[in-house]
Amino acid sequence: MKVVPPNPNSKALAALYRWFDINIFALGREMRLSYLPPLMVYVAAGISSLTGIVGTFYVKERLGLSAEFLAGLAFWMALPWALKMPIGHLVDLIWRWKSLLVYLGASLIMVSLLIMIGLLGYTDTMRSVAALESWYVAAALLAPIGYVLQDVVADAMTVEAVPRVDANGKPLPLEKRKQMHVTMQTLGRVAIIGGSVLVSIANVILMRDVGAMPEEGRTAAYLLVYKLALVIPFISVCGVFFASWLQRQNMRRFLSQGLNRKEAEALLAIHTEAPPVNWWILGGGAAFTIVSLSIGLGGFAAAEEIVFCLSMAIILFLIWRLSSELDAEARNQLVGTAILIFIFRALPNPGAGITWWMIDQLGFDQQFLATLSLIGAVLTLVGMFIFRRFMAERSIAYIIGALTIAGTLLSFPIIGMYFGLHEWTAAQTGGIVDARFIAIIDTAIESPLGQIAMIPMLAWIANSAPDKLKATFFAVMASFTNLALSASQLGSKYVNQIFVVTREVRDPVTSEISVPADYSELGMLLITVTVIGFILPFLAIILMKQTRFRSA
């Protein structure tokens, strides 16, 4: 009897299908209606990038803010994320009324968007009240506060989204609940990135031919984007309403089964009593907020540095308090991993100057930048699934080392284009490998790197926490890693003070050039940032090898 050899193509297709089934299709099968409310809040966070490209062009075309000032502003915009710790404790204290924080966050986001709508649609009226730059700064600072409030509540909603009992009130097995938590967190990350994919598609459509429009046409296009962005707070508020509706439906079902309200509430894991107030967290967070606002609004010299040092001192103190719950080996791992994570996330970036140069010198218009954003968002989502095993099997030191090398290599094409690489490649390839081609390939390769770095960091924080301090430990370490982003913005401000990059700024009334474009120092800025980004992480890794500290 003749034996027919197996078709290798069929094996490959079967293996590919199994991979999709395990990593993607399984998420759809495991989706529950109760997961939807926090996912709606996460999607709102994902689509927050809808105004990113328009904001970049608005600042470049209409405002006289320097790259150094924008880096300093980014520091203050990142600072609210270091306050997740006291906000998280506040959510525990007002658990039944935590939805109020979503409403507050949505209100702040809406006010921020309305300010930008006013700047674009009612410029003269807004200018008569305050300088346009002041309005923009207010809008830029209100939005992140709103997103932080919503993010903390969404995290809490994911706990409620995973039920403890089935539809008949019988307890679910522990392993099943663990799997449901993993699914919930994975879907949350997919919702955020999926939201960014949606807005990237929208930007590609909305920004079509905007670069060739007269100023009135560009203003109308920008205004439309900000009006569409008002859907962001609407979606998050709808998520809260839907969560409340689901809660009432579940309560009615258990009551109809003969349970009283107290028994039904116990099955639904509703917090019936508030936990004791932790004044170290709540009071310290309130004091930090007051001091930060006082310093920021008081016009103090080195205000960012003062607030950063104060933030670092508070968080390090809390980490020291929490580390006493760990044994010596776990404590050394905590310190070593925290140092690695902080340094990797605190690396400076070139700032706004690199985008200005791409717009002015390379001719990247609104639609092309939107296309790059779409490519990055899609490949980030794909990278989450492709690199899951890599992240699970490697230490954080190995991952950071690999990402550092990859990030350094991927910075070379941009540096090369500053010195004319795209002109040479275009000449050699008949215009095919031009600046846009190089930017697309570079973006496609680089996009998943940020997500690869984030997931093992979050997993380490969750796994390292003592059992009785899971929430507090996670909040403190999350604040610490978010504070590293503030350090990154400080570093960006410093390098922009050393290497000054300016784009052309015209007087809005006379149209005379008040600041000429000067990109002569951008090359050294890019090289400096790349060198720092390569050296510091490896110095930290070497430090871990030479001391008693080690990484997870």
Side-chain angles (χ1 to χ4, degrees), residues 344 380 383-384 387-388 390-391 399 403 445-457:
F344 183 74
T380 297
M384 276 182 57
F387 293 105
R388 283 176 68 184
F390 169 79
M391 293 182 289
I399 293 172
L403 293 178
I445 299 173
E446 185 180 15
S447 297
L449 298 184
Q451 196 61 40
I452 294 171
M454 276 299 299
I455 292 177
M457 292 177 191

Side-chain angles (χ1 to χ4, degrees), residues 130-205:
L132 299 185
E133 289 80 2
S134 298
W135 281 115
Y136 175 77
V137 170
L141 293 176
L142 285 174
I145 298 173
Y147 286 118
V148 169
L149 291 173
Q150 294 196 154
D151 185 72
V152 173
V153 177
D155 291 342
M157 290 170 68
T158 63
V159 178
E160 285 184 321
V162 176
R164 296 191 306 164
V165 297
D166 61 18
N168 297 317
K170 295 181 179 180
L172 292 170
L174 182 60
E175 286 302 316
K176 183 174 178 61
R177 291 187 62 222
K178 285 183 178 180
Q179 180 59 41
M180 292 167 72
H181 276 294
V182 171
T183 300
M184 177 72 254
Q185 296 304 321
T186 303
L187 287 171
R189 188 63 53 180
V190 170
I192 294 173
I193 301 173
S196 67
V197 171
L198 291 176
V199 301
S200 296
I201 295 172
N203 269 318
V204 170
I205 298 171

Side-chain angles (χ1 to χ4, degrees), residues 259-328:
L259 300 177
N260 59 43
R261 178 167 291 274
K262 187 174 182 180
E263 291 171 335
E265 288 182 349
L267 291 177
L268 293 172
I270 298 174
H271 285 211
T272 55
E273 295 183 7
V277 178
N278 187 325
W279 290 110
W280 283 108
I281 295 177
L282 197 61
F288 169 71
T289 303
I290 294 171
V291 172
S292 298
L293 288 174
S294 301
I295 294 173
L297 297 175
F300 289 88
E304 291 96 340
E305 289 79 1
I306 294 173
V307 172
F308 175 78
C309 292
L310 177 63
S311 307
M312 180 64 79
I314 293 173
I315 293 176
L316 287 179
F317 171 74
L318 291 171
I319 291 175
W320 173 74
R321 289 286 301 266
L322 289 174
S323 65
S324 62
E325 299 287 335
L326 306 174
D327 57 44

Side-chain angles (χ1 to χ4, degrees), residues 25-37:
F25 300 150
L27 285 176
R29 292 193 298 269
E30 295 169 10
M31 175 67 186
R32 300 173 62 92
L33 196 62
S34 61
Y35 298 166
L36 196 54

